[in-house]
Amino acid sequence: MERVVQFTGPRQVEVAEHPAAPLPAGHLRVRTRYSGVSAGTELTAYRGTNPYLTRSWDAEARIFREGAAGMEYPVAGWGYSEVGEVTEVSPELAGTPGLPTVGELAWGIWGHRSEGVVPAERMIGHALPAGLAPLAGTFARVGAIAYNAVLACDIHLGEDVAVFGQGVIGLLATRLAQLNGARVTAVDALDGRLATARTYGAAATLNARTDAVAEQVRAATEGRGADIAIEISGVYPALHEALRSVTVGGRVVASGFYQGDGAGLRLGDEFHHNRVQLICSQIGGVPPQLSGRWSVERLQRTFLALVAEGRVDVESLVTHTIPVADAADAYTLLDERPADALQVVLEF
C-alpha cells in the first residue's frame, strides 16, 4: 500500500493509504526516504489561503478567474523536495543516459508519498551526487528558489543586499548572495534566526520588530540605502520595508508567496518617490534575460553541486525529522510555533 499525506480541510491532515499503481511505460518507481515540508507554499494549502482554493488559474490567459475553485480538498501529496531509492524502471528505458538505475538514490518532485511514479524525463541527471547525504538532497528545490532570487538581483561585487526573512530559503539566499560578492544585511523578527544568518554569511543583522530597519540600512550605507533587497518572507509589511530600504533606482526582488490583500504595503511612498524596481522571482522560470543560459533544472543541479562541494551547508538547517505517520504534528509545529523550527522533513 502507498501512504500519501493529504489535507482534508483547513488545518486538517491525514495519512491515507492506496494500492500501489502499476508502473506505466516511460516511468520510474522511487521509494521515498525523505520529503521536505515547505513552510511557505504548503502552509497556504494547509491554512486554506491558497488562491487556487477560491479561484481558478487560466493557463492560456495567465490570469486567475473568479467563480470556480481550481483546487479543492482533499489536497493530496503536496511537497516538492523528495529523495528516495529507485526500485523499478520501465524496461524500455534501460540504458537511458543520465537516468538513475535500480538501487540508486535519486532526488526530485513526487510529493509526500511513500513512493513516486515519475516520468523518466523528469529524472534525467537526478541521481544523488556522490558524497551528498540523502537528507541534503531534499534541498534541491528550496535551494533553487533561493538561487533564482539571487540571479534576479544581478548582484555586483561589493554591493549591499538586504535579505528580509531568514527562514530556510532566506538563509540560503543570504549565503548565496554572500558567495556572489554582496555585503548582506539579514532581517527577521526572530533573534534565533538572525544568529543563524550570521553563520550563513550575513555581515549585519536587524530585528524587524525592534530595529528601525530602513533607517539603519541607510545609515550603514552612507545614507544611500541598499543596492538590492530580497523579500522572501511573503509578508506585506516586510515587502514595504524592503522598498523603504533600497537606494534611488534600487531593486527589490519579491520571492515570497503573498496571500490576500496587501495590507501594510503603500506603493505611493518610497516605491514611487525613489523609482524602485520591483521584480517577482518565482520558481516557474528563471529571470527572462538569463533564459538562454539558465533553467530551473540547472538551478537545482548547481545548488546541489554547491552543497556537495561544501560551499553551502544545508543539513544543519534540518531541525526536525518526523515520521510520516505523525505528519499532522509537522504542520502544527510550522503553523503555530515557527520559532521552534527551520526545515522539517518527513521520514518514510
Side-chain angles (χ1 to χ4, degrees), residues 155-170:
I155 297 169
H156 300 92
L157 183 65
E159 288 189 319
D160 289 286
V161 176
V163 180
F164 287 75
Q166 294 296 306
V168 171
I169 298 175

Side-chain angles (χ1 to χ4, degrees), residues 197-340:
R198 285 189 282 273
T199 71
Y200 272 70
T205 59
L206 294 170
N207 188 300
R209 289 201 176 109
T210 60
D211 292 322
V213 173
E215 289 81 355
Q216 291 195 35
V217 169
R218 291 181 180 279
T221 54
E222 301 178 333
R224 293 187 307 273
D227 298 286
I228 304 157
I230 301 172
E231 204 305 294
I232 213 155
S233 72
V235 177
Y236 287 110
L239 179 59
H240 183 70
E241 197 67 11
L243 292 167
R244 295 187 71 228
S245 298
V246 297
T247 189
V248 174
R251 176 174 296 174
V252 173
V253 175
S255 191
F257 190 14
Y258 304 91
Q259 303 294 296
D261 294 335
L265 177 63
R266 300 188 301 277
L267 296 181
D269 292 6
E270 290 81 8
F271 170 71
H272 178 78
H273 288 80
N274 289 330
R275 303 183 302 281
V276 175
Q277 301 175 47
L278 179 57
I279 295 172
C280 176
S281 175
Q282 197 267 350
I283 197 57
V286 298
Q289 69 273 21
L290 298 177
S291 60
R293 293 158 32 205
W294 281 88
S295 65
V296 173
E297 182 68 15
R298 183 181 176 188
L299 285 173
Q300 296 176 141
R301 293 196 202 182
T302 305
F303 180 78
L304 287 184
L306 290 171
V307 175
E309 293 165 6
R311 301 180 72 187
V312 180
D313 169 35
V314 295
E315 289 184 76
S316 67
L317 296 177
V318 179
T319 53
H320 297 77
T321 302
I322 296 177
V324 68
D326 300 324
D329 295 339
Y331 291 97
T332 299
L333 170 66
L334 290 170
D335 183 36
E336 298 179 4
R337 304 190 308 279
D340 296 340

Side-chain angles (χ1 to χ4, degrees), residues 61-84:
R62 298 200 64 81
I63 58 173
F64 278 96
R65 305 283 190 187
E66 300 292 341
M71 178 174 69
E72 59 184 21
Y73 294 111
V75 178
W78 268 43
Y80 52 66
S81 299
E82 284 71 56
V83 169

Side-chain angles (χ1 to χ4, degrees), residues 96-115:
T96 302
L99 192 67
T101 58
V102 171
E104 281 194 286
L105 291 177
W107 58 273
I109 300 173
W110 54 86
H112 300 315
R113 55 185 77 242
S114 58
E115 67 174 37

